[in-house]
Amino acid sequence: MKTMILYYSWSGTTAQAADLIQKATDGDVISLKVDDDTFSNDMYKTSDIAKQQRKSGNLPELINKMPNFKDYDLVLIGGPVWNGLVSTPVQALLKQISDFKGTVVPFYTSAGSDQDYETDFKQLGRELKIEKGLRMASFDLNNEQETISKLKDWFNK
């Protein structure tokens, strides 16, 4: 099974998770990029920006080249949880890949409330075949070998 790992990371936690997932799955990895001035370095200002983007539907533009999704059977999509929901860069990605025919699995990093994340993800990617995802917190990433072992078990299921 050919696997792609696509992720957006605002603080670096999702990037760390994606790196460990890549080691566990041997999938190809692409970090989603937006213009540097899209979000603030301040978490609260970024939250306000994302709320406005979501409300207006004016999602941030992804500035990196996307792979040919036809080359993949499985796409793992990672991002931070913002306001309990999918971050706006990941929302933009879900719009772009709505015709992907393989399986999509979310992974997400959260320091707080994320109970609506997977419901939101499934609503945003309604045309996609989406399986249950994986939540990771920064403390889950501390022991690399133990985490990779757990990720291999998760991935094989």
Side-chain angles (χ1 to χ4, degrees), residues 64-99:
N64 47 320
K65 185 177 182 221
M66 289 295 127
N68 184 349
F69 288 97
K70 292 178 182 174
D71 294 340
Y72 296 92
D73 305 300
L74 175 66
V75 175
L76 305 175
I77 299 177
V81 177
W82 286 353
N83 305 303
L85 304 170
V86 175
S87 64
T88 54
V90 173
Q91 289 180 43
L93 173 67
L94 289 171
K95 280 185 135 181
Q96 286 186 20
I97 67 164
S98 62
D99 60 347

Side-chain angles (χ1 to χ4, degrees), residues 28 35 37 42 44 52 68 86 105 123 150:
D28 297 335
D35 283 326
D37 63 350
D42 179 270
Y44 300 104
Q52 184 57 40
N68 184 349
V86 175
V105 179
Q123 288 174 346
K150 289 178 182 177

Side-chain angles (χ1 to χ4, degrees), residues 10-154:
W10 177 79
S11 68
T13 303
T14 307
Q16 187 180 4
D19 180 59
L20 294 175
I21 290 170
Q22 192 284 325
K23 290 176 181 175
T25 65
D26 200 32
D28 297 335
V29 179
I30 292 181
S31 170
L32 303 173
K33 302 289 184 199
V34 297
D35 283 326
D36 289 339
D37 63 350
T38 302
F39 298 109
S40 170
N41 289 330
D42 179 270
M43 176 175 65
Y44 300 104
K45 288 180 184 174
T46 292
S47 175
D48 290 342
I49 292 166
K51 284 178 188 175
Q52 184 57 40
Q53 289 173 339
R54 190 173 181 98
K55 183 178 178 180
S56 70
N58 189 16
L59 300 174
E61 180 182 350
L62 301 176
I63 60 174
N64 47 320
K65 185 177 182 221
M66 289 295 127
N68 184 349
F69 288 97
K70 292 178 182 174
D71 294 340
Y72 296 92
D73 305 300
L74 175 66
V75 175
L76 305 175
I77 299 177
V81 177
W82 286 353
N83 305 303
L85 304 170
V86 175
S87 64
T88 54
V90 173
Q91 289 180 43
L93 173 67
L94 289 171
K95 280 185 135 181
Q96 286 186 20
I97 67 164
S98 62
D99 60 347
F100 176 62
K101 300 301 181 205
T103 301
V104 173
V105 179
F107 67 95
Y108 47 102
T109 56
S110 173
S113 174
D114 58 35
Q115 67 270 19
D116 295 328
Y117 188 92
E118 290 206 39
T119 300
D120 189 42
F121 192 95
K122 287 179 181 179
Q123 288 174 346
L124 293 165
R126 61 185 165 270
E127 296 89 13
L128 299 169
K129 179 184 172 193
I130 299 172
E131 299 291 332
K132 180 159 177 45
L134 176 68
R135 177 194 186 270
M136 300 178 80
S138 56
F139 61 81
D140 293 324
L141 308 174
N142 291 338
N143 184 329
E144 183 173 315
Q145 292 307 316
E146 182 179 315
T147 302
I148 289 172
S149 177
K150 289 178 182 177
L151 287 170
K152 284 180 180 180
D153 290 343
W154 166 75

